[in-house]
Amino acid sequence: MGIVRLWPAVLAVFIPGIVLLYLLKQKVINQKISALNLWKEAYENIQASTPWEKFRNNILMYLQITALVLLIIALMSPYITGSGSEYSNVLIIIDNSASMSGIYREERSKLDEAKEQAAGYVDNNDARYTVMSASNTADLLISGSADKGRVTDAIDNIEATDIAGSAETAVSMAQSLASTWKGYKVIVFTDSSVNMPDVNCEVADLSVQGENGAIQSLSHAVSEDGSVQVMARVDNYGKNRLDTDVNLYIGEQLYDIQSVTAEAGESSTVYFKNITPGKYNGAVAGGTPYLMAELNSKDMLAGDNIVYDVLDGESDEKILLVTEKNTFLEKGLKIQGGRQIDKVQPKDVLAADTEEYSLIVYDGIVPDELPETGNVVFIGPPASGIKNPGKGEEWKQEVFIYGKKSKSSVIKALKGNVTNYLDNYSFSALNVTELKLPKWASGFFETEDKLSAGYLGNYNGRIIAVLGFDLHNTDFPLQTEFPIFMYNLLRETISARITDKSVYNAGEAVIIQKKGKADEAVATKPGGDSETYSLKEGTAVFADTSKSGLYNIKESDGEMYFTVPFPEEESDVLQEAVVTGNKAAKGPGGKLSGNMSRKMVVFPVLFLLLVLLMAEWRIYRKRL
């Protein structure tokens, strides 16, 4: 038992005052009497000649004293405490990784249970609170606050994610904070193992054993006749055999249903009915270029019961090579295979329809006008064509910033996507056009003079790459590194994709590329919420991928879908949480031990006071 404040105790000085009120003589009133037998009582009143009366037991006096005592107690804010010592600082860590979305009890998730317990702890205890959420990273939500309202709001605002991780990511931050506190306690709510070395910690273990089936992959392959073969893998993470159906959707329309059986701890592959060429092409043309597979059963974790696969409905990408003759370059462009490569002479380039090509490669030539569509690669641009651009050629000033002409230079590969697997590689070249790096580009080749001999970037919605030397003036094409370089260069420039890939991990940032003349992009999340991003700088970063499902990025010149799958490692509901650490303890049955808990008893005291006042009023009325 304890109290919050002591000052209301001074009100006890009024208790003697209540007693004095009942000792003071009441004022005598003269009354006419009709019989002598009442003289005795009148005589006794006359005897009370002094101002004080003899003390008498009066039930009203005792009730009023008791009421005052109860009022004083209520103002002192009494509470009942459990066992354990008090702490001036409390750090609450709540795991909001994907597995915490699983069912804990009835329809409540583990995260719901964690938030309720944490909020209840804050309501019943006075301390300075720091709150963190943890998945693949630890997020500090509030620090050192004694405002219970703000703390509980921070806890309530923690949202479930489909990100792989655990409370383990917050360990280093917890250790750092704990080292600055004298009296502290760390409380962790999680369903996974956690190690808290040298930290006074209590862990509420919310892991629950149960049944869970998951669709871990959905893929497709296009056969020679144009039909699409679709398959999915179903994993059983439960203790019993899984018998259920799997639904396949093309877009939002149900296409096929297959039954699946998987023993406990095993996987099963599901093959769906082949999608005919007409059906496949119709799905892409109809604006639903994706497949969805759904596990038709209810289990502990709903997030891993749905998976998406984006269909690639684009035609084969074509490359236009503008060159006199360059065998090295022609072979380099064919390194990935499967693409049509058309070659024209520089004198015939004006007659070529550049709009049908995804990539245009200019070898030793710079056109007067930049093509309106497609990505562009410039190989060995002549200095005469870029130093003094003519009227209407202002774009050259932004794409090429002339530095100097070098007869011979050693070129070093810089770290980046284009030079992947070319670490610390260098080669010599003659007649190098050394350029200054534009703001929109990133360099991948650098000369001895720290000028650029190769760069790539997004220029007004298209990928442009510049190589400042002729491939004939170097032995680079004869080296084993050249095919690797060409493969990387084509991967970065072959198409103007809005996003780099069609599958991202939960929590991974997505770089939105400007395509064409779009000024902005709209990103739509699985729940239907959308956000608008400006593309004035050429790119934008979309980082809100914490939920699994299908995402859509739409620009004025096109759109693209990508998927975020549920992390496979979060589907195993049979994993037991292990708590380690020389000062760490596990709460029984997913509950906290109750240390430092306070139960306020102000309202029961006030209720008793109200009952007492009503009783006193009733007795007083009867005596009138």
Side-chain angles (χ1 to χ4, degrees), residues 370-388:
L370 188 67
E372 295 184 357
T373 61
N375 296 335
V376 182
V377 175
F378 294 99
I379 306 292
S384 59
I386 63 176
K387 287 178 63 176
N388 301 305

Side-chain angles (χ1 to χ4, degrees), residues 334-622:
K334 295 178 181 178
I335 194 168
Q336 286 190 350
R339 294 191 177 94
Q340 178 181 334
I341 301 176
D342 295 336
K343 185 175 68 173
V344 298
Q345 297 285 328
K347 61 183 179 64
D348 299 325
V349 66
L350 295 178
D353 184 7
T354 59
E355 293 186 0
E356 61 177 299
Y357 295 96
S358 299
L359 178 63
I360 305 171
V361 180
Y362 291 100
D363 179 31
I365 179 177
V366 177
D368 295 335
E369 295 182 0
L370 188 67
E372 295 184 357
T373 61
N375 296 335
V376 182
V377 175
F378 294 99
I379 306 292
S384 59
I386 63 176
K387 287 178 63 176
N388 301 305
K391 187 176 181 181
E393 298 179 343
E394 289 79 6
W395 64 272
K396 293 182 181 180
Q397 297 177 344
E398 299 175 350
V399 174
F400 309 101
I401 306 176
Y402 183 78
K404 68 175 186 175
K405 190 76 174 182
S406 176
K407 291 184 178 180
S408 176
S409 180
V410 175
I411 297 175
K412 179 182 177 182
L414 303 177
K415 188 175 182 181
N417 293 337
V418 179
T419 54
N420 196 20
Y421 305 112
L422 300 180
D423 297 340
N424 301 318
Y425 176 71
S426 62
F427 57 92
S428 298
L430 302 175
N431 299 322
V432 180
T433 301
E434 301 185 37
L435 302 162
K436 296 179 182 179
L437 190 65
K439 294 182 179 179
W440 52 266
S442 298
F444 53 81
F445 282 150
E446 188 177 70
T447 66
E448 298 171 291
D449 300 321
K450 300 300 180 182
L451 291 173
S452 181
Y455 52 83
L456 176 144
N458 189 305
Y459 176 74
N460 290 336
R462 284 179 294 160
I463 304 300
I464 291 183
V466 176
L467 206 62
F469 54 91
D470 189 336
L471 293 177
H472 294 99
N473 295 331
T474 175
D475 63 348
F476 180 38
L478 303 177
Q479 306 298 321
T480 56
E481 287 80 5
F482 182 70
I484 299 175
F485 166 75
M486 289 301 299
Y487 179 88
N488 293 336
L489 182 64
L490 289 174
R491 183 187 60 195
E492 296 296 319
T493 61
I494 193 60
S495 63
R497 296 170 63 91
I498 296 177
T499 62
D500 291 336
K501 50 188 179 180
S502 59
V503 180
Y504 289 84
N505 295 323
E508 185 179 358
V510 178
I511 305 299
I512 303 175
Q513 301 281 354
K514 181 178 181 179
K515 185 175 182 178
K517 300 181 179 180
D519 293 327
E520 60 183 24
V522 178
T524 303
K525 295 178 286 188
D529 296 335
S530 60
E531 298 178 17
T532 302
Y533 294 86
S534 173
L535 296 176
K536 292 182 179 180
E537 301 297 326
T539 61
V541 179
F542 172 62
D544 192 5
T545 59
S546 62
K547 301 297 291 184
S548 61
L550 183 72
Y551 291 75
N552 174 263
I553 307 293
K554 189 171 185 179
E555 298 180 3
S556 59
D557 293 325
E559 66 177 334
M560 183 173 180
Y561 289 89
F562 68 87
T563 68
V564 174
F566 193 90
E568 184 173 346
E569 58 269 33
E570 296 289 311
S571 294
D572 191 355
V573 296
L574 297 182
Q575 290 185 355
E576 295 185 2
V578 178
V579 178
T580 55
N582 54 354
K583 296 182 181 180
K586 182 188 289 189
K591 299 289 185 180
L592 297 179
S593 63
N595 290 344
M596 192 189 161
S597 66
R598 292 181 178 181
K599 184 66 176 179
M600 306 301 293
V601 292
V602 174
F603 287 107
V605 173
L606 290 176
F607 178 76
L608 184 59
L609 173 61
L610 179 62
V611 172
L612 194 67
L613 292 176
M614 292 175 63
E616 190 231 2
W617 174 254
R618 189 175 183 85
I619 294 173
Y620 176 76
R621 293 288 298 175
K622 284 185 177 181

Side-chain angles (χ1 to χ4, degrees), residues 305-351:
N305 291 348
I306 295 178
V307 66
Y308 291 86
D309 181 33
V310 175
L311 299 171
D312 186 6
E314 296 182 358
S315 60
D316 293 336
E317 293 153 328
K318 298 170 62 177
I319 300 175
L320 177 64
L321 174 59
V322 183
T323 182
E324 291 284 355
K325 185 176 181 180
N326 194 327
T327 305
F328 297 132
L329 186 55
E330 290 180 37
K331 291 183 177 180
L333 294 176
K334 295 178 181 178
I335 194 168
Q336 286 190 350
R339 294 191 177 94
Q340 178 181 334
I341 301 176
D342 295 336
K343 185 175 68 173
V344 298
Q345 297 285 328
K347 61 183 179 64
D348 299 325
V349 66
L350 295 178

Side-chain angles (χ1 to χ4, degrees), residues 17-33:
I18 296 176
V19 177
L20 287 175
L21 288 176
Y22 283 90
L23 289 177
L24 286 173
K25 186 189 75 172
Q26 296 181 2
K27 184 178 179 180
V28 177
I29 301 175
N30 294 325
Q31 294 181 343
K32 294 182 180 181
I33 57 177

